[in-house]
Amino acid sequence: MDTSRISSFVSGLWDQEIVPQLMDYIRIPNKSPMFDAQWREHGYMDQAVKLMEDWARSKLPALQGATLEVVRLEGRTPLIYIDVPAQGTNGTGTDETVVLYGHLDKQPEMTGWADDLGPWTPVLKGDKLYGRGGADDGYAIFGSLAALLALREQGVPHARCVILIEACEESGSYDLPYYVDHLADRIGNPALVVCLDSGCGNYDQLWLTTSLRGMTGGNLTVQVLEEGVHSGDASGVVPSSFRILRDLLSRLEDQETGKIIPKELYVDIPEQRKAQARKSADVLGTAIYDKFPFVEGMQPTTDDLTELVLNRTWRPQLSVTGVGGMPPLESAGNVLRPKTSVKLSLRVPPTLNGAEAGKFLKQLLEKNPPYGAKVSFALEKDGSGWNAPALSPWLEETVAQASQDYFGQPAAYMGEGGSIPFMGMLGEKFPQAQFLITGVLGPHSNAHGPNEFLHIPTGKRVSMVVASVVARHFKEAAKA
């Protein structure tokens, strides 16, 4: 395989077709179902599916025998299923399957975008394409097909490849298990899983994701009254719902340090992951926290860089992501409010059972409510994380060479603090599979927040890496 031809082909396809397609994709406000309950009526999800389907179908003739189907189970978000048969194999190594995964649903708009940017307005500035969803991870279907087309252009053989693009990932992938079961016979038994929905510590080298945290969370509500009353009359008599809520959260989180208190939410961190965290800290230095838009004078939780890496990859952490029951400042009168609600997002360690963590969290927050207040915690999500199996020697060798070929730097390994529910699901179903988890969400790319961008050169290089890994996989399969 000629890596220079791979680079030239992939780069050209990105410049000529993929970037324009992604700009059209960014314009579609196809928010995940959790953030758009009327997604069917609005039709944006179907628009995003159609855009990707049309482009992918235009490439199928170059992938002889490939088929595409938009699978729609009753009452569920759609899924794009592309089946690319083994090519150039001469009958050898054709019984293994490679699964390439991504998603097309998006997070909501979020506030704080720069004046010349917006969630549904694609803006190209140098090497960066701004707008919601390009990096997280609308590029996945394009990058996956670019890799296979690059191999086809050279006649490089590869095993059968299945591309799965779901539309529910940002809501916890609750539809995906039904599709995996529905398509089980067609998918087969994957030997290699490629996922392009992850992050990178910098844009200088290939980063492989070694673990993903799980997540649980939902809406915590504290009610003390049937209706609001005059604060001058009631304060000091009626306990504040906000104060009770603070007290409940202190059962979970140390308000001084931010550390999660219950030991039930921790796991023992593997020594290899600690070593990789130390190495990542050495490589990245203060970029571990410099990438965040701190206000002037603000400091990270600790100055120990290795601890920062472990905090965001292997330790439970709480975020309060929404609030209810509070009027906006301009219309807040002197009223003791009847209730306060907050949306909690609790990241849990990769090897902790997400469902059990959710049950524990609900019990912790609801038991023995102060003053007999009405306390309820409505669980919304409880996905487990994922800890990567050890890389086969061939895969470790291939990613090392591919990083040198396309980035000019060694590959790096680090866990990610986010969640990709599909990885845990596949890890359980296919324990013998190898995993290549990587992505383009690097410093300042700000997925889920304002000013999200896709670093185009990294998108190109990740596509090139996928081509090399898929090609090498066939060689190893042919030896078996």
Side-chain angles (χ1 to χ4, degrees):
M1 184 178 70
D2 185 340
T3 56
S4 64
R5 282 179 63 183
I6 293 287
S7 297
S8 177
F9 180 90
V10 169
S11 184
L13 189 61
W14 267 78
D15 290 339
Q16 296 161 24
E17 299 188 41
I18 294 177
V19 171
Q21 287 288 320
L22 286 172
M23 295 179 77
D24 288 342
Y25 164 76
I26 287 170
R27 293 186 178 97
I28 305 172
N30 53 308
K31 290 183 287 187
S32 200
M34 183 180 290
F35 312 107
D36 182 6
Q38 295 180 290
W39 63 269
R40 294 180 185 84
E41 292 82 357
H42 292 154
Y44 300 128
M45 198 74 76
D46 287 335
Q47 290 179 30
V49 169
K50 186 68 163 54
L51 181 147
M52 292 182 175
E53 177 189 5
D54 287 350
W55 187 84
R57 285 193 185 281
S58 75
K59 302 304 173 188
L60 295 188
L63 299 167
Q64 293 179 354
T67 60
L68 183 153
E69 179 184 354
V70 177
V71 187
R72 299 179 187 271
L73 294 180
E74 181 66 29
R76 303 200 177 279
T77 51
L79 177 136
I80 299 175
Y81 179 90
I82 304 174
D83 195 325
V84 182
Q87 299 195 55
T89 61
N90 295 321
T92 59
T94 59
D95 58 342
E96 291 198 350
T97 297
V98 177
V99 168
L100 300 102
Y101 163 86
H103 68 88
L104 58 81
D105 55 317
K106 304 180 186 181
Q107 283 279 321
E109 297 88 335
M110 187 64 178
T111 59
W113 289 76
D115 291 341
D116 61 339
L117 302 175
W120 320 128
T121 304
V123 176
L124 193 57
K125 291 187 177 183
D127 289 336
K128 299 173 182 176
L129 175 58
Y130 288 85
R132 177 68 80 231
D136 184 24
D137 66 339
Y139 85 101
I141 186 172
F142 302 102
S144 297
L145 284 170
L148 300 183
L149 289 165
L151 295 180
R152 180 63 182 172
E153 191 268 340
Q154 286 191 48
V156 176
H158 64 77
R160 173 179 177 254
C161 294
V162 169
I163 299 175
L164 300 175
I165 306 296
E166 68 158 315
C168 191
E169 194 274 345
E170 299 293 5
S171 297
S173 292
Y174 57 76
D175 284 342
L176 192 57
Y178 296 92
Y179 281 105
V180 172
D181 289 343
H182 177 72
L183 298 167
D185 291 342
R186 293 166 64 180
I187 293 172
N189 190 6
L192 173 65
V193 176
V194 177
C195 172
L196 303 183
D197 186 28
S198 195
C200 52
N202 56 36
Y203 302 114
D204 303 323
Q205 58 205 121
L206 175 67
W207 287 82
L208 263 64
T209 298
T210 57
S211 63
L212 297 157
R213 283 191 294 188
M215 182 170 64
T216 189
N219 299 324
L220 173 64
T221 299
V222 176
Q223 184 174 1
V224 297
L225 295 167
E226 295 297 336
E227 60 185 14
V229 296
H230 193 300
S231 62
D233 186 28
S235 59
V237 178
V238 179
S240 161
S241 63
F242 186 79
R243 178 166 66 85
I244 294 173
L245 187 141
R246 284 191 300 163
D247 184 39
L248 294 174
L249 291 181
S250 292
R251 298 176 179 180
L252 176 63
E253 179 189 54
D254 185 319
Q255 64 187 31
E256 296 293 330
T257 64
K259 292 182 178 178
I260 298 301
I261 295 170
K263 66 181 186 305
E264 291 87 348
L265 296 173
Y266 287 82
V267 300
D268 292 330
I269 304 174
E271 289 300 321
Q272 183 188 37
R273 300 302 182 229
K274 292 180 182 179
Q276 290 170 339
R278 288 191 291 270
K279 188 169 183 179
S280 294
D282 290 341
V283 170
L284 296 174
T286 60
I288 292 170
Y289 61 83
D290 286 343
K291 66 180 182 177
F292 299 113
F294 282 117
V295 298
E296 185 176 356
M298 184 68 183
Q299 300 293 322
T301 56
T302 177
D303 58 5
D304 187 318
L305 299 180
T306 299
E307 288 300 296
L308 290 178
V309 173
L310 292 172
N311 281 348
R312 70 176 287 274
T313 58
W314 275 90
R315 294 189 180 122
Q317 300 288 339
L318 176 68
S319 298
V320 178
T321 61
V323 62
M326 289 189 178
L329 296 178
E330 61 271 16
S331 58
N334 293 322
V335 175
L336 196 151
R337 296 173 297 99
K339 64 181 179 180
T340 304
S341 299
V342 290
K343 186 176 290 292
L344 304 181
S345 175
L346 180 68
R347 301 287 175 172
V348 298
T351 55
L352 192 73
N353 184 289
E356 292 301 317
K359 292 177 184 177
F360 174 82
L361 183 60
K362 182 175 176 66
Q363 181 183 35
L364 178 74
L365 295 173
E366 290 185 346
K367 69 179 180 182
N368 302 323
Y371 303 102
K374 184 178 180 181
V375 175
S376 63
F377 180 66
L379 271 169
E380 287 186 330
K381 43 191 174 287
D382 56 10
S384 297
W386 174 78
N387 187 30
L391 294 185
S392 293
W394 73 264
L395 183 53
E396 186 171 9
E397 176 185 314
T398 303
V399 296
Q401 185 61 53
S403 188
Q404 290 288 352
D405 288 341
Y406 305 120
F407 288 87
Q409 296 289 336
Y413 296 81
M414 185 170 65
E416 285 293 333
S419 305
I420 308 175
F422 187 47
M423 294 305 103
M425 186 190 315
L426 281 189
E428 288 185 5
K429 286 182 175 290
F430 308 111
Q432 303 305 314
Q434 287 286 288
F435 288 82
L436 174 71
I437 315 298
T438 187
V440 299
L441 296 171
H444 308 290
S445 59
N446 213 22
H448 300 196
N451 307 325
E452 177 185 337
F453 70 75
L454 165 66
H455 188 251
I456 294 171
T458 299
K460 293 178 178 179
R461 291 170 185 147
V462 165
S463 304
M464 299 169 195
V465 169
V466 172
S468 287
V469 169
V470 171
R472 177 65 183 274
H473 163 261
F474 167 76
K475 290 184 177 180
E476 297 301 315
K479 294 177 183 178

